[in-house]
Amino acid sequence: MKKRHEQKLVILSMLMVLALNMPLLLLFDSAEPFLGFPIVYIYIFSAWLFSIGTTYLIIKRYYE
C-alpha cells in the first residue's frame, strides 16, 4: 500500500477516535428522539457508516 493511502487511513482513524470520544458524544445525548431513535444512536451509526464508506473509497483507489 502506498504511503499516501496509509496516511489517509491513519488520519481517518484519529478522526474516528475523536468523533467517538465521550465529551463529543455527550453533546448529542438528548432525551428527545428523532424519527423514534435517540439522537446519540443516529450520530454513532452515521459516524460509523461514514468511516466505512471513506475507508472503502481509499482502499478502492489503491487497487485501481
Side-chain angles (χ1 to χ4, degrees):
M1 182 176 286
K2 293 182 181 177
K3 187 76 167 172
R4 183 178 63 215
H5 299 295
E6 290 177 6
Q7 290 173 347
K8 289 178 185 178
L9 291 174
V10 168
I11 290 171
L12 178 65
S13 299
M14 286 190 270
L15 285 175
M16 288 308 297
V17 165
L18 291 175
L20 297 177
N21 200 357
M22 188 52 101
L24 194 58
L25 286 176
L26 289 176
L27 290 175
F28 294 99
D29 192 21
S30 174
E32 297 182 20
F34 180 73
L35 298 174
F37 298 104
I39 295 174
V40 70
Y41 289 172
I42 294 171
Y43 171 73
I44 289 171
F45 286 114
S46 62
W48 180 52
L49 186 62
F50 170 77
S51 72
I52 290 172
T54 307
T55 303
Y56 174 75
L57 289 175
I58 292 170
I59 299 297
K60 183 180 175 189
R61 279 196 169 178
Y62 169 67
Y63 286 115
E64 287 183 350

